[in-house]
Amino acid sequence: AHLGLERMFGPESIDQAIALFPVPWPKDRHAKRRLFSTEFLTLLSSRLRAGGLARIVTDFEPLRDWILEQVPGSGLAARDRTVDARENTKYERKWLENGQSAFFEIHLAKETHIAVPAPEEPSVQVYRFESFDPARFVPQNQVGTVTIKFFDQVYDPIRKIVLVRAFISEGRLVQELWIKIEPEGVGWRLGPAGKLNVVPTQGVMRALEIAFEACR
């Protein structure tokens, strides 16, 4: 949800957002997995139009309390109330069957616009070079804010093509990229294998760069 809202919706583009019975992650050690942190609420606020609204319904009162604690500084104003069952979702029906009749609703109204721009998506770099020895191709993993690990290197000696799989982790986004090295004219070409099926992030660009460095 965070990645989708961040990358697929522009600033001030949404009239209303609704979340029914989000996963509460009730244990304290799992709090970082809860969706409606101040950071996420600020992002949500930035994507709501002026006067936009968000509504959250939960069966778990401690989650209601936690979300209300996250609201200050997000650009949203909150009000909450206890409501009867009326959503007819799977989890509402489950709790009704278990004897719960009261649920907790939060209304969030956009009050202040806080800009949260979408991350920059650079153009995909394709590398060309004169010589290449597959036997010496050993791309080095990178660990840090952006972590890149290479796996499953495959070489076709007839077509002289190398495929290598890279896992790229940067923040919340984890992607898998296949990189292809193949002859082109009198030299070689390195780039994504086939149609690009990943978000072109700085991590993806760095994975291609590391593979190119290993080719050289």
Side-chain angles (χ1 to χ4, degrees):
H2 193 118
L3 289 168
L5 198 60
E6 180 181 58
R7 294 177 177 274
M8 297 174 67
F9 294 88
E12 300 182 275
S13 64
I14 297 173
D15 292 312
Q16 185 177 178
I18 300 171
L20 302 177
F21 305 98
V23 179
W25 294 105
K27 296 179 181 179
D28 289 343
R29 70 176 184 270
H30 293 154
K32 65 181 180 180
R33 300 184 183 180
R34 296 172 192 156
L35 180 59
F36 292 97
S37 63
T38 302
E39 181 188 10
F40 180 78
L41 290 174
T42 304
L43 172 63
L44 173 60
S45 175
S46 77
R47 299 306 188 250
L48 288 171
R49 293 192 175 104
L53 299 171
R55 183 167 71 93
I56 306 167
V57 181
T58 179
D59 53 84
F60 193 56
E61 189 172 9
L63 179 63
R64 185 274 313 271
D65 297 340
W66 181 83
I67 292 173
L68 291 174
E69 292 171 359
Q70 306 302 307
V71 172
S74 68
L76 299 168
R79 59 184 177 86
D80 67 288
R81 61 178 181 170
T82 302
V83 296
D84 298 327
R86 58 184 179 178
E87 307 297 344
N88 195 31
T89 70
K90 171 184 174 181
Y91 284 102
E92 186 182 70
R93 292 193 299 270
K94 174 182 176 180
W95 295 118
L96 279 172
E97 291 169 1
N98 289 336
Q100 182 170 342
S101 59
F103 300 89
F104 310 100
E105 183 178 70
I106 301 172
H107 282 255
L108 300 167
K110 180 162 182 172
E111 194 171 55
T112 306
H113 181 69
I114 301 174
V116 182
E120 180 183 353
E121 295 186 357
S123 299
V124 176
Q125 178 71 45
V126 173
Y127 294 92
R128 291 176 172 84
F129 41 99
E130 293 181 358
S131 61
F132 174 59
D133 180 359
R136 298 175 61 189
F137 177 67
V138 185
Q140 299 299 307
N141 294 337
Q142 171 181 297
V143 178
T145 305
V146 176
T147 293
I148 301 166
K149 295 188 176 181
F150 294 91
F151 301 92
D152 301 333
Q153 183 173 317
V154 180
Y155 176 53
D156 179 345
I158 297 175
R159 294 189 295 164
K160 298 182 179 180
I161 290 174
V162 172
L163 292 173
V164 60
R165 183 166 57 130
F167 279 99
I168 304 149
S169 174
E170 43 193 324
R172 294 177 179 81
L173 185 58
V174 178
Q175 303 192 87
E176 177 183 300
L177 170 71
W178 280 95
I179 298 170
K180 184 178 184 181
I181 306 161
E182 60 185 335
E184 182 183 69
V186 296
W188 296 81
R189 179 187 185 276
L190 180 149
K195 185 177 179 181
L196 187 69
N197 60 353
V198 298
V199 179
T201 62
Q202 295 293 339
V204 168
M205 301 307 106
R206 178 59 184 148
L208 292 167
E209 183 181 28
I210 292 173
F212 171 59
E213 291 169 354
C215 289
R216 294 197 301 172

